[in-house]
């Protein structure tokens, strides 16, 4: 059962453009939503995370938008750079639970 | 870098063999979670260890087992290896067991089962 659905699978953006990756979740008990960035041969690295008491969180060029009623959240990368080329995973967890539930990932390519 | 280390980096085994993977958690962290990441997929939770006790398990068979040591490092053991066990195995360290603490991932061990 896929509890977190991520789209698109792959995304190509021109340098300087905005990259947008979307996730939808099913379990309304989820209350922590992180985004991870993974480069080839490396483990996932935490980029930014949000809890459902806010609708948006911004850290530098990265912004999470959260829509609790629609059970959706998205990652926006402003002024995308070639160094942002990586695979991005959204995830979700609930308080008291041990595990992160990951989406299937989005391979992002930023063309120079 | 997160400070989480894993060994070995790569491993090749044959079907039916057993394997042990190791993880050293970030300084000060008392919780280690293990994930399996198949090629092109997101990580799947295997189990978590908190203060040397198993603290939650995902949908993996009993041939996946683990340990956590007093220094909070951890091992993942897989018996009777199957071809589908080929994957990147990630450990993540955090503080506080089941609380909503950020998990920091290591670089992973790439396991190939032939």
């Amino acid at each position: 059962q896929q509890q977190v659905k991520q789209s698109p699978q792959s995304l190509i953006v021109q340098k300087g453009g905005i990259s947008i990756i979307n996730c939808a979740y099913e379990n309304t008990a989820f209350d922590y939503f992180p985004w991870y960035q993974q480069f080839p041969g490396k483990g996932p690295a935490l980029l930014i995370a949000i809890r459902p008491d806010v609708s948006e969180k911004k850290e530098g060029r990265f912004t999470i938008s959260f829509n609790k009623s629609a059970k959706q959240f998205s990652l926006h990368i402003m002024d995308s750079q070639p160094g942002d080329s990586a695979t991005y995973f959204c995830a979700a967890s609930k308080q008291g639970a041990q595990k992160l539930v990951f989406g299937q990932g989005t391979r992002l390519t930023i063309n120079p | 870098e997160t400070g989480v280390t894993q060994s070995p980096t790569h491993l090749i085994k044959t079907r039916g063999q057993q394997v042990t993977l190791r993880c050293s958690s970030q300084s000060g962290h008392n919780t280690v979670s293990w994930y399996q990441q198949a090629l092109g997929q997101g990580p799947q939770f295997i189990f978590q260890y908190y203060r040397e006790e198993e603290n939650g398990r995902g949908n993996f068979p009993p041939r996946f087992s683990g340990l956590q040591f007093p220094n909070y490092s951890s091992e993942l053991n897989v018996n009777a290896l199957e071809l589908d066990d080929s994957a990147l195995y990630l450990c993540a360290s955090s503080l506080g067991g089941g609380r909503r603490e950020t998990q920091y991932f290591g670089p992973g061990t790439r396991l190939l089962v032939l």
Side-chain angles (χ1 to χ4, degrees):
Chain A
Q1 183 182 7
Q2 183 65 35
Q3 294 190 58
V4 179
K5 295 183 180 179
Q6 183 171 346
S7 63
Q9 274 190 300
S10 63
L11 180 63
I12 300 174
V13 175
Q14 292 300 117
K15 178 183 174 182
I18 303 173
S19 304
I20 302 173
I21 304 171
N22 300 299
C23 282
Y25 62 97
E26 299 169 2
N27 190 340
T28 54
F30 287 148
D31 60 0
Y32 174 65
F33 303 90
W35 284 89
Y36 283 84
Q37 178 189 55
Q38 186 175 29
F39 292 104
K42 302 286 188 181
L46 178 68
L47 257 184
I48 185 172
I50 197 168
R51 303 198 192 277
D53 52 340
V54 296
S55 60
E56 187 175 280
K57 183 174 181 180
K58 183 176 181 179
E59 290 184 1
R61 296 185 294 111
F62 301 93
T63 299
I64 299 179
S65 296
F66 185 81
N67 185 330
K68 188 174 181 178
S69 61
K71 293 187 288 185
Q72 294 175 348
F73 57 111
S74 60
L75 175 70
H76 292 62
I77 306 174
M78 312 300 287
D79 187 26
S80 299
Q81 299 297 312
D84 297 330
S85 297
T87 299
Y88 291 80
F89 292 96
C90 61
S93 70
K94 57 184 179 180
Q95 187 175 17
Q98 298 76 25
K99 65 178 182 180
L100 287 168
V101 179
F102 283 85
Q104 291 186 299
T106 296
R107 176 174 282 185
L108 174 65
T109 302
I110 308 300
N111 284 335
Chain B
E1 298 297 324
T2 62
V4 180
T5 60
Q6 292 186 244
S7 62
T9 55
H10 295 83
L11 203 52
I12 299 175
K13 291 286 188 178
T14 56
R15 196 170 54 178
Q17 285 189 311
Q18 178 265 342
V19 69
T20 297
L21 310 181
R22 296 176 175 83
C23 171
S24 291
S25 59
Q26 186 167 309
S27 177
H29 285 180
N30 56 15
T31 304
V32 172
S33 305
W34 286 93
Y35 291 80
Q36 180 195 65
Q37 186 177 20
L39 201 61
Q41 301 293 318
Q44 298 286 320
F45 176 75
I46 302 174
F47 44 55
Q48 183 184 87
Y49 279 83
Y50 172 57
R51 293 184 175 177
E52 303 179 57
E53 298 287 332
E54 187 177 290
N55 186 43
R57 188 179 183 93
N59 190 26
F60 280 81
R63 58 189 186 85
F64 286 78
S65 63
L67 281 174
Q68 187 178 33
F69 300 99
N71 66 355
Y72 303 128
S73 65
S74 178
E75 285 183 355
L76 164 66
N77 299 289
V78 187
N79 294 320
L81 283 166
E82 300 177 0
L83 298 179
D84 284 350
D85 295 333
S86 295
L88 180 67
Y89 288 85
L90 297 161
C91 79
S93 82
S94 58
L95 183 63
R99 292 187 296 162
R100 294 176 299 177
E101 297 292 340
T102 299
Q103 295 189 17
Y104 297 91
F105 285 83
T109 293
R110 175 77 62 188
L111 173 65
L112 178 61
V113 182
L114 301 175

